[in-house]
Amino acid sequence: MKFFIILFLFFSSFSIAKEEKKVNLDEEFHLAIAIYKYKDSHREKIKSVVSRISSILEKELNSKFRVSYIDNVEDEINHYIDYDKSNIIIVYTSTYLENKKLLKKYSKSPFYISGEEGSIQYYLIANKSSNIKKLKDIEGKNFITFRGYNNYNNWLDFITLKELNTSYHKMISSSKAVYSLKRLLLDVYFKKYDFTVVPKNVYNDMLLLNPSLENELLIIKKSKPIFQDVLGLIHKKMPRKMLDKLFKVIESNSFKDEEENILSVINRWKIENFEYEKLEELESFWIEYKKLSYKSR
């Protein structure tokens, strides 16, 4: 009997502890953000930026603005859907696309943290000495790519599947993934690798720093400007007064000045909300890519 009493007290105290940790998502802002695919130094930079923005938001909103970082995507999506740990979530675009029906069902209109030009365009770039002039010429060549997330590879895979009826994985001689976007271009420029995929803004920025890049590099393909690194979602259960207050602060001039100054550290410039319709081209790309991938198996 004593054993059962102890057992009951243990689980009772455990339940109370859990209850104490429960957050009030109807009064407080709780953001969960995915940065686990970045290297440690960039993760710390992002955390610093997020911490500064959340401090400003907390002050302007006159409400708690908590931030947590996602390690397990599946668990965090479940917590978000269940509305028990977060009412705002920022995930990699691929995570959104893979779970879009579920996430849309439980979310209001999305937002993104964008660069100067809004949506991102990708360039397939080769060293001129590699003799890559068309997409088919990547056969037997060496590819360097970004380790942070799969958007770049997915687009490259999409165009080879669509135009050449094969995955680029089956065409190339070798590949290497690195964390630095600048290194992608520099390694191709110095002929360590034959080709890469980079965002348009990275190519343009590097060109301003080193105009001679243009003498050695050739743009083979350009994507449509439809991509984003990450997407943010707000839970549909967030009370209207909280939502209105949040966007009022984000859209205010005083916040925008601070926002641009802080976000420039990670080469981003604004937080922008939009309607799901703006993602239609990206979603269509993903659906077609998945169909092409399935057919090529």
Side-chain angles (χ1 to χ4, degrees):
M1 184 67 181
K2 189 175 180 181
F3 170 76
F4 289 109
I5 293 170
I6 292 168
L7 202 62
F8 171 79
L9 289 172
F10 171 78
F11 283 111
S12 295
S13 62
F14 181 72
S15 176
I16 290 166
K18 278 185 76 178
E19 196 66 36
E20 285 174 351
K21 289 181 181 179
K22 193 173 181 180
V23 294
N24 186 352
L25 298 178
D26 290 333
E27 292 184 6
E28 301 172 4
F29 297 91
H30 287 258
L31 165 67
I33 179 170
I35 59 171
Y36 59 91
K37 291 185 179 180
Y38 290 99
K39 66 178 180 179
D40 290 345
S41 60
H42 200 60
R43 252 192 303 235
E44 292 309 310
K45 192 184 286 187
I46 293 170
K47 283 183 178 182
S48 172
V49 167
V50 171
S51 175
R52 289 168 67 189
I53 287 178
S54 62
S55 295
I56 295 167
L57 285 171
E58 193 166 83
K59 184 180 177 182
E60 294 289 329
L61 292 164
N62 194 26
S63 174
K64 288 181 180 177
F65 197 101
R66 310 291 193 191
V67 180
S68 60
Y69 296 93
I70 298 172
D71 292 317
N72 185 308
V73 176
E74 188 177 336
D75 283 353
E76 199 57 54
I77 286 175
N78 288 334
H79 286 309
Y80 171 75
I81 287 165
D82 292 339
Y83 198 63
D84 63 2
K85 282 192 176 180
S86 59
N87 48 18
I88 309 172
I89 190 170
I90 296 177
V91 293
Y92 295 109
T93 308
S94 56
T95 301
Y96 165 78
L97 291 168
E98 286 163 2
N99 300 276
K100 68 173 184 178
K101 284 186 179 178
L102 192 60
L103 289 169
K104 275 186 174 182
K105 183 180 177 181
Y106 290 94
S107 302
K108 297 180 180 181
S109 57
F111 65 93
Y112 55 73
I113 303 169
S114 69
E116 284 184 288
E117 297 182 1
S119 294
I120 298 168
Q121 182 177 27
Y122 297 144
Y123 284 179
L124 171 60
I125 293 175
N127 189 292
K128 289 179 180 178
S129 67
S130 68
N131 293 318
I132 300 174
K133 294 181 174 62
K134 295 181 180 179
L135 183 61
K136 65 181 179 64
D137 298 333
I138 68 169
E139 181 88 46
K141 303 298 184 182
N142 301 312
F143 174 51
I144 186 166
T145 187
F146 184 56
R147 186 184 289 275
Y149 27 76
N150 297 327
N151 300 17
Y152 304 68
N153 301 6
N154 290 342
W155 174 65
L156 177 61
D157 207 29
F158 170 78
I159 57 176
T160 57
L161 285 166
K162 188 169 184 175
E163 297 183 25
L164 306 173
N165 296 314
T166 187
S167 170
Y168 82 88
H169 295 284
K170 297 175 183 177
M171 299 178 66
I172 61 173
S173 174
S174 68
S175 68
K176 182 176 182 176
V178 297
Y179 281 115
S180 169
L181 287 168
K182 291 178 182 178
R183 184 178 163 187
L184 298 180
L185 278 177
L186 290 173
D187 277 9
V188 173
Y189 174 75
F190 288 114
K191 302 177 186 177
K192 294 180 181 180
Y193 291 87
D194 297 308
F195 73 102
T196 190
V197 173
V198 295
K200 173 187 173 182
N201 69 295
V202 172
Y203 176 75
N204 289 342
D205 288 348
M206 291 291 285
L207 210 57
L208 286 173
L209 292 171
N210 184 3
S212 66
L213 287 173
E214 204 167 22
N215 299 327
E216 300 294 330
L217 302 178
L218 182 67
I219 299 172
I220 309 299
K221 281 272 184 186
K222 296 180 181 181
S223 77
K224 290 182 179 180
I226 60 172
F227 296 96
Q228 290 296 331
D229 297 338
V230 294
L231 286 172
L233 297 163
I234 297 171
H235 203 286
K236 68 176 185 180
K237 284 188 177 180
M238 180 182 282
R240 170 53 63 180
K241 64 177 182 178
M242 285 180 67
L243 189 67
D244 290 345
K245 192 160 66 166
L246 177 63
F247 282 118
K248 186 178 179 181
V249 168
I250 287 174
E251 290 166 8
S252 68
N253 289 329
S254 59
F255 179 77
K256 281 182 178 178
D257 292 341
E258 283 286 348
E259 170 196 14
E260 184 171 316
N261 180 42
I262 296 168
L263 287 173
S264 65
V265 174
I266 54 170
N267 202 27
R268 291 293 178 268
W269 304 97
K270 58 185 174 180
I271 300 168
E272 188 174 340
N273 63 308
F274 59 97
E275 299 302 321
Y276 281 112
E277 285 75 14
K278 195 167 181 178
L279 293 174
E280 284 178 356
E281 275 195 287
L282 179 59
E283 291 175 359
S284 296
F285 155 82
W286 186 257
I287 291 166
E288 188 177 0
Y289 172 50
K290 286 299 174 183
K291 284 179 181 176
L292 290 168
S293 299
Y294 183 78
K295 280 171 65 178
S296 72
R297 287 176 184 174

